[in-house]
Amino acid sequence: MNVLANAIDYDYFKEELIDGKVHLMSPSASPIHGRIIGNVYFVFKSYLKGKTCQVFTDTIDVYLDEHNNKVIPDVSILCDESKFSKRGYEGVPDLIVEIISPSSVIRDRKVKFQLYEKFGVKEYWIIDPINKVIEQYVLNDGKYRLEEIYAQLDECEMDRLSESDKNNIKTTFKTSIFKELVINVSDIFE
């Protein structure tokens, strides 16, 4: 028997189920990962106060179907009150945000991207905390379309850009599901 396998406490890990296959997730994020989750949560929590939709962090299990697909998104926007149950949320979120890390980059960019597209999540953000980049994908006719890439550049990076390129940098954006919510890129990476 593998000694290393015996030393791993599997109760310490969160489990996701994707197409019937178990994926273990590390239970603790890096400080920057956790900070970005909190910042995204705060933006949506402030906006959604008094509205039907709710924002959750990685504290809720999301069951996309009955048996084969359970995910724990970093942040999810859940808008159908009837889909909350004792075990979590049993339905498709309107918006999901995943913050990539070296251990999750393939799962978030490929496996979950395809899964969320297949189940009809209306909007999917992939946030890269190291490069301070947000990729916004919007579902269009059953396929994700890259709506835009938003980046927070530091002073040195801005100095290297031409005036034309500086004018093309977007510092705010909107979601496809909340047209009146304006999000500052800097608030996400604060």
Side-chain angles (χ1 to χ4, degrees):
M1 185 175 259
N2 186 333
V3 175
L4 182 58
N6 285 340
I8 296 174
D9 180 3
Y10 287 99
D11 292 334
Y12 185 67
F13 289 86
K14 295 178 185 179
E15 287 183 0
E16 290 187 309
L17 189 63
I18 299 174
D19 291 329
K21 183 179 176 189
V22 173
H23 294 263
L24 295 178
M25 297 173 49
S26 174
S28 51
S30 70
I32 192 169
H33 189 110
R35 193 174 308 119
I36 291 171
I37 289 173
N39 292 345
V40 173
Y41 175 84
F42 181 78
V43 165
F44 281 109
K45 182 69 174 173
S46 300
Y47 174 76
L48 293 173
K49 187 173 184 170
K51 295 181 174 61
T52 306
C53 296
Q54 298 177 51
V55 60
F56 285 86
T57 61
D58 54 359
T59 58
I60 190 167
D61 293 343
V62 175
Y63 296 85
L64 298 172
D65 62 16
E66 189 65 31
H67 301 290
N68 292 318
N69 293 286
K70 177 192 85 162
V71 292
I72 308 169
D74 287 325
V75 178
S76 54
I77 304 297
L78 310 175
C79 296
D80 188 341
E81 186 69 32
S82 71
K83 295 192 177 174
F84 286 96
S85 71
K86 290 181 181 179
R87 68 182 193 156
Y89 189 80
E90 301 190 40
V92 177
D94 285 66
L95 186 147
I96 288 180
V97 178
E98 297 287 5
I99 294 100
I100 61 171
S101 63
S103 64
S104 74
V105 68
I106 292 171
R107 186 170 55 244
D108 292 339
R109 287 195 177 280
K110 185 175 179 181
V111 178
K112 285 187 172 181
F113 182 97
Q114 292 170 351
L115 182 73
Y116 297 158
E117 183 179 68
K118 172 181 155 185
F119 277 92
V121 175
K122 294 175 189 170
E123 189 167 329
Y124 179 40
W125 299 1
I126 298 174
I127 299 179
D128 177 345
I130 303 301
N131 295 305
K132 295 185 177 179
V133 170
I134 303 167
E135 298 171 27
Q136 179 188 30
Y137 296 92
V138 175
L139 199 64
N140 188 6
D141 294 327
K143 293 287 183 194
Y144 278 135
R145 178 190 79 241
L146 179 61
E147 185 73 15
E148 189 64 66
I149 296 174
Y150 307 95
Q152 181 177 348
L153 303 178
D154 64 27
E155 250 181 72
C156 290
E157 292 167 321
M158 288 296 284
D159 288 343
R160 288 186 227 145
L161 295 177
S162 68
E163 284 305 312
S164 173
D165 286 341
K166 285 179 188 177
N167 291 335
N168 288 327
I169 300 286
K170 295 181 180 173
T171 58
T172 63
F173 68 102
K174 295 182 178 186
T175 72
S176 65
I177 59 173
F178 305 119
K179 301 285 188 202
E180 61 281 354
L181 173 62
V182 177
I183 300 168
N184 288 306
V185 174
S186 62
D187 288 345
I188 302 300
F189 296 109
E190 181 178 58

